[in-house]
Amino acid sequence: MAISPYNFISPIPERLEGLAELATDLRWSWSHSADVLWERIDPEIWAITRNPWLILQSVSTSHLEELAEDGDFRKLVESHVKAHRESLEERGWFTQTHGTSPLMVAYFSMEFGLSEALPIYSGGLGILAGDHLKTSSDLGVPLMGIGLLYQQGYFRQALDASGAQIEFYPYNDPSQLPIVPVRDEEGEWLRIAVAFPGRILRLRAWEAKVGRAKLYLLDSNDPVNRPADQAITSELYGGGPEMRLQQEMALGIGGWRLLNTLGIRVDVCHLNEGHAALAILERVRTVMAETHAPFRVAFAAVRTGNVFTTHTPVPAGFDRFSPALAGQYLSAYADELGLGMDGLLALGRKDPQNEKEPLNMAYLAIRGSNSVNGVSRLHGEVSRRIFQPLFPRWPRSEVPVSHVTNGIHTPSWDSAAADGLWSESCGKERWIGTLHTIEEDFKQVSDETLWEFRAKGRQKLIQDVRKRLVRQLTASDVTDERIKAAGDALEPDAITIGFARRFAGYKRPNLLLQDEDRLMKLLNNRDRPVQFIIAGKAHPLDGEGKSLVKAYTRFIRNRGVSHRLVFLVDYDMVLAEQLVQGVDLWLNTPRRPWEACGTSGMKVLVNGGLNLSELDGWWAEAYCPEAGWALGDGREHGEDPTWDDHEADQLYGLLEEEVIPCFYDRDESGIPRAWVARMRKSMAELTPRFSSNRMLREYVDRFYLPAGRNYRARKANNVEKAAEICRWQESLNKNWHRLRFGALEIEERENVYYFSLAVYLNGLEPSTITVQIYADPSDGGEPEIYPMARGRRLAETQSAYSYTLSIPADRPGSDYTPRIIPFQEEAAVPLEARHILWYR
């Protein structure tokens, strides 16, 4: 027996050690070539869990030894290990496109949804983070994840006898998870220290392999810590504000210290939400120690290498900590930074002078980053409105928040049949390149092939749902008759509509129940049967969300429709995968604009499912009538219950008059040509557009590479460029109040406006500002902004200049207003200088 670097209950025979290498790399969660191995070892556990690591932890020594004597099985293991290693060595898109461009990205997230085998996620934020890591492996982008290892993770859901949600918190035994301890050069388990009031918190480091990427996790469940501190990483999003701050210190401060301890030189720090904003300050502290620069200079050097992605559509969603709580945990840290607690709090306040205002982690993140983005086009607009108070007097359109619309990792969510169909039409390498030919290639697939593919996907889903429903009811106190009926629930050939997500008021999961009698007519239609599969969890403290869950279970029981409408408990990645691979239609009913992006509907695209969704998040930019259906009018209506009634009526109307007829109107060969046409357009055009391949390449080109270059430039020569930026900022702060306008003249000749403006700089160098002519957007477009040219110095003045401009007279001259904003070629304005002066 060889000594394995992995801890297994049953030692793995030396001739099968490659199994450990395959099982510990979470690449198996999307690359299914080795599935045959795990099914051969334990078909029952594989069918239920799809977890190779658990199989190796469960299998008996005698069975492994039997397999080791099987020459064919050994050859199979060897071939898969060889293929796995070769795939990791292949040149990815990043190297092929950008060569040896220096780049290392650290991606911080509170949760990661990679697989049900590593349950440290709760919902969309974590699933996105997991897809981000998987895609970085596919494309060869040098990126690693930083997160926390939770003893319990998010809760598991069940229903009591009345149909109400109850929660369970199974323990995440690290020995049963596909992770290994991180060890130092002496072989000792690596521990990271973070100072807490009156004590030191020790965080153990773990590593998960995600193909070519790595995920580092920290946990506090170490006997060297106090019992209360051991529980800091006990539960994802558990506890009160104090535990949340402790977790965010562990993630941000501890995570960055882990990178330093490992000797990993990071160019770009990507914050997936504001939870890890303290990583910015720890990164500053590191640069201060390396260069002996003061805080403000190190901060100027660091911020240009930070990217902040916000997912929050309402200000109430940001983490806030009271000044007292923040001071209790961070005052000594603030002193070490040379900031003092007032200075640290100021970075996370809308009004830095307001001593009562809490520490807002999103404000800290935006002030410490030079790139900020929302996660859909609409969410970018919403975020500019949310963050506008940080940039007073700046037009909303210029609030420095852009957007990168989320995408999904298609290989993780496509069915085996979908993988085969796409491989045949677009090639096996389709998701690891530039996607240029996918649309045209896929549109060549015939109607007959698409419809057969869709029908088989639905039929498999019905089989899976029946099995799951039987297990669900068997675990409950129900009659044998109900369990038997569950085995025949739903029809394999009826239109199947899925709705699965977190149950919360703003997501309006019960819009479908607004008119129960009208819904019953749909469910009881014998000629055109309709069936729904519903799943979702409510947060344990969300009473409204729990009542929405119970409303569905009550409706199913009271109306006797369990053969047409089912509620599946414990919505997780396994169930999500089954649903998106099999439903004909995905339903999404959030209250606009509270769905920042929403990626669940993206996952049905690759599998041939269509969307009927509110015009919110990604669907607001994806929708076209030839590829799906839209709910709402594209405007905001708040929490108006009359509008909910209106949209419920619209939903029923769309189902009755458009969706169901489109599905059941067949030609002489039994194919619904109009439905299949929508499938083709949705699959060919929307699947690549809303893939994480497109998303990550956009991050690389628009954010990561520029941020990396700028960070290295500012840090070079002992942060010389950062110090120059600070001197520019100091000059602006000192002299901006003295800046003023002189006379403005506007002359129109031959349909051209000629502007002439006097500007008194009064202590500012001309190169530190830019004078512009501005006009608000017309017809919903972009604002018009024109730089004015500096001319002669005005007679008998020390620092007054004439600025001029000529532009076509395409709109009234009164629409145009002069303004002055800061300028520095390497600086991000207004992120690094929010001054602005308007002409009267």
Side-chain angles (χ1 to χ4, degrees), residues 529-545:
V530 181
Q531 55 198 18
F532 294 87
I533 303 173
I534 311 296
K537 300 176 179 179
H539 189 279
L541 301 180
D542 182 0
E544 180 187 12

Side-chain angles (χ1 to χ4, degrees), residues 403-431:
H403 78 274
V404 176
T405 301
N406 287 342
I408 62 102
H409 184 247
T410 47
S412 291
W413 301 102
D414 61 355
S415 66
D419 180 47
L421 178 64
W422 284 89
S423 293
E424 184 177 341
S425 59
C426 305
K428 290 184 176 294
E429 308 298 310
R430 61 195 175 279
W431 303 123

Side-chain angles (χ1 to χ4, degrees), residues 349-512:
R349 285 173 168 162
K350 179 174 68 175
D351 178 4
Q353 308 305 318
N354 185 349
E355 296 181 356
K356 296 181 180 179
E357 192 177 334
L359 174 66
N360 184 313
M361 301 304 277
Y363 290 173
L364 173 58
I366 198 172
R367 285 205 174 101
S369 303
N370 267 18
S371 300
V372 184
N373 69 280
V375 290
S376 70
R377 183 175 62 202
L378 177 60
H379 182 239
E381 297 172 7
V382 171
S383 298
R384 285 188 286 277
R385 181 173 64 199
I386 291 174
F387 289 117
Q388 189 165 25
L390 297 184
F391 304 93
R393 298 180 301 282
W394 281 83
R396 181 176 298 172
S397 61
E398 294 183 87
V399 172
V401 181
S402 61
H403 78 274
V404 176
T405 301
N406 287 342
I408 62 102
H409 184 247
T410 47
S412 291
W413 301 102
D414 61 355
S415 66
D419 180 47
L421 178 64
W422 284 89
S423 293
E424 184 177 341
S425 59
C426 305
K428 290 184 176 294
E429 308 298 310
R430 61 195 175 279
W431 303 123
I432 59 176
T434 58
L435 312 179
H436 284 157
T437 65
I438 281 185
E439 180 179 333
E440 290 306 315
D441 290 344
F442 192 84
K443 285 184 176 179
Q444 308 309 311
V445 180
S446 69
D447 284 6
E448 289 75 14
T449 300
L450 283 178
W451 183 240
E452 181 184 7
F453 158 71
R454 178 84 301 278
K456 288 182 177 179
R458 181 192 329 106
Q459 292 158 10
K460 182 180 184 304
L461 170 64
I462 301 308
Q463 294 174 1
D464 292 338
V465 168
R466 287 172 175 173
K467 293 175 184 177
R468 188 178 182 111
L469 198 56
V470 167
R471 291 198 302 268
Q472 177 177 317
L473 294 178
T474 301
S476 306
D477 186 18
V478 300
T479 64
D480 291 342
E481 184 180 356
R482 280 188 63 191
I483 295 174
K484 182 179 179 182
D488 295 318
L490 308 177
E491 292 187 23
D493 298 320
I495 183 173
T496 303
I497 302 173
F499 181 98
R501 58 196 19 86
R502 181 164 60 88
F503 269 52
Y506 80 88
K507 291 181 179 286
R508 300 189 299 179
N510 290 27
L511 201 64
L512 194 62

Side-chain angles (χ1 to χ4, degrees), residues 246-429:
Q246 291 171 335
Q247 288 183 342
E248 296 187 9
M249 291 177 67
L251 176 62
I253 299 174
W256 195 265
R257 288 182 182 175
L258 172 63
L259 294 171
N260 284 337
T261 302
L262 293 173
I264 299 172
R265 311 299 291 181
V266 172
D267 301 294
V268 178
C269 173
H270 188 167
L271 306 178
N272 190 37
E273 253 311 335
H275 306 123
L278 292 172
I280 294 171
L281 299 184
E282 182 61 19
R283 190 178 191 186
V284 171
R285 192 187 71 84
T286 302
V287 171
M288 291 172 66
E290 291 175 354
T291 65
H292 305 290
F295 177 86
R296 59 186 178 80
V297 175
F299 188 77
V302 159
R303 68 176 301 161
T304 194
N306 297 333
V307 177
F308 169 45
T309 297
T310 174
H311 297 255
T312 308
V314 290
F318 296 136
D319 281 347
R320 295 177 174 87
F321 301 106
S322 70
L325 179 62
Q328 178 185 351
Y329 278 87
L330 294 170
S331 60
Y333 186 68
D335 290 341
E336 184 180 355
L337 291 168
L339 264 181
M341 199 60 210
D342 289 342
L344 190 153
L345 288 169
L347 291 171
R349 285 173 168 162
K350 179 174 68 175
D351 178 4
Q353 308 305 318
N354 185 349
E355 296 181 356
K356 296 181 180 179
E357 192 177 334
L359 174 66
N360 184 313
M361 301 304 277
Y363 290 173
L364 173 58
I366 198 172
R367 285 205 174 101
S369 303
N370 267 18
S371 300
V372 184
N373 69 280
V375 290
S376 70
R377 183 175 62 202
L378 177 60
H379 182 239
E381 297 172 7
V382 171
S383 298
R384 285 188 286 277
R385 181 173 64 199
I386 291 174
F387 289 117
Q388 189 165 25
L390 297 184
F391 304 93
R393 298 180 301 282
W394 281 83
R396 181 176 298 172
S397 61
E398 294 183 87
V399 172
V401 181
S402 61
H403 78 274
V404 176
T405 301
N406 287 342
I408 62 102
H409 184 247
T410 47
S412 291
W413 301 102
D414 61 355
S415 66
D419 180 47
L421 178 64
W422 284 89
S423 293
E424 184 177 341
S425 59
C426 305
K428 290 184 176 294
E429 308 298 310

Side-chain angles (χ1 to χ4, degrees), residues 45-83:
I45 292 181
W46 175 248
I48 295 173
T49 68
R50 315 292 287 186
N51 184 346
W53 185 266
L54 181 61
I55 286 175
L56 290 187
Q57 294 288 19
S58 306
V59 67
S60 67
T61 301
S62 60
H63 186 41
L64 285 176
E65 289 176 346
E66 288 175 10
L67 290 170
E69 296 300 321
D70 185 331
D72 291 339
F73 186 77
R74 290 200 310 272
K75 288 180 181 178
L76 192 61
V77 171
E78 291 168 3
S79 67
H80 282 292
V81 170
K82 181 174 181 291

